[in-house]
Amino acid sequence: MTSLLRDPPADPSNDAAQSIESLSVNDTSYTHTAAKFWPSLIDEVHEDYPACSCIRLSAPISDALSRRHLTPGDTLADQLAGLMDTSIEDVMNETLAELKILGPPPCVHIQLFNGRIQILSQDLPTECVDASLFPYLLVWPLEWAGIPSDNWNMKSVSGTFTAKDKKRGLAYKMSFSVSRTLMSEDLYMQSINLIPLVWRS
């Protein structure tokens, strides 16, 4: 995965430099993007900002979080099925017209804190994640923590789960709170505060 906060470390033996192949949660192994995103982010923060006690990610989104965000392939299949009778040229023209009107998706913003002291505030690179992809990452901590999907769009919801990267011998305990604040009609600021712990397993 592309570095989220910096250039790749010079020492490829560093945990943050090694590729994450899978994450095990409740004895189930996950290999999708979210399973690699969260430990990659934690590893980089742990490596470069060891004083960090809390990671906050936030982005404006219009979608309500739902279980369909757990299976983006199904959503794409539905979209492609709806385009069966549409030419590629028409799809491209429609997409370009939407981009011209709406512009690209907003960035996901990251803040790092040492207690109440902010030690970093910047946008994550859009080649890694943007606001349109953020919901597909955000639903997985909620799912792994066993929070019912009916509660995912509450103003605030919190949970904890433990995960293992068995290949690298690392364990992660992730305590988090997710908040959803109305910005304007059909647009919400979605945020997650994450308190990670990492140890050798």
Side-chain angles (χ1 to χ4, degrees):
M1 177 175 288
T2 303
S3 179
L4 296 164
L5 300 176
R6 54 176 168 75
D7 294 331
D11 182 0
S13 67
N14 286 350
D15 290 329
Q18 297 181 35
S19 176
I20 297 168
E21 295 182 0
S22 67
L23 195 69
S24 179
V25 182
N26 297 325
D27 296 323
T28 300
S29 181
Y30 299 90
T31 59
H32 51 59
T33 301
K36 298 175 183 179
F37 173 84
W38 293 108
S40 293
L41 174 64
I42 292 168
D43 288 348
E44 282 197 45
V45 171
H46 182 73
E47 185 79 19
D48 288 354
Y49 301 92
C52 176
S53 59
C54 179
I55 303 168
R56 177 181 296 164
L57 300 182
S58 56
I61 67 170
S62 55
D63 286 352
L65 300 179
S66 70
R67 299 198 66 80
R68 71 179 178 83
H69 289 107
L70 297 170
T71 54
D74 293 345
T75 302
L76 179 59
D78 292 342
Q79 291 173 342
L80 291 175
L83 298 174
M84 290 297 291
D85 298 326
T86 306
S87 70
I88 293 177
E89 183 179 355
D90 287 342
V91 172
M92 290 296 295
N93 288 336
E94 182 178 343
T95 302
L96 290 172
E98 288 182 3
L99 283 174
K100 187 174 182 180
I101 294 171
L102 302 176
C107 295
V108 175
H109 193 73
I110 184 169
Q111 296 167 281
L112 304 182
F113 296 88
N114 177 4
R116 295 186 177 183
I117 301 172
Q118 180 175 280
I119 56 179
L120 180 74
S121 179
Q122 68 180 53
D123 291 333
L124 292 179
T126 54
E127 62 266 26
C128 296
V129 60
D130 59 32
S132 67
L133 298 176
F134 190 42
Y136 295 95
L137 301 174
L138 190 57
V139 292
W140 279 101
L142 295 164
E143 173 75 0
W144 287 327
I147 297 172
S149 57
D150 289 346
N151 297 340
W152 289 359
N153 295 289
M154 295 173 62
K155 287 185 177 180
S156 181
V157 60
S158 59
T160 300
F161 66 94
T162 301
K164 292 184 178 181
D165 180 342
K166 294 181 179 179
K167 178 184 176 182
R168 297 185 302 154
L170 294 176
Y172 300 84
K173 181 179 180 181
M174 306 186 200
S175 300
F176 65 88
S177 61
V178 173
S179 62
R180 183 175 174 88
T181 305
L182 183 64
M183 297 175 63
S184 61
E185 186 177 355
D186 296 328
L187 186 64
Y188 294 83
M189 179 58 70
Q190 193 83 58
S191 300
I192 180 170
N193 285 356
L194 178 63
I195 300 174
L197 295 175
V198 186
W199 66 93
R200 292 283 174 187
S201 61

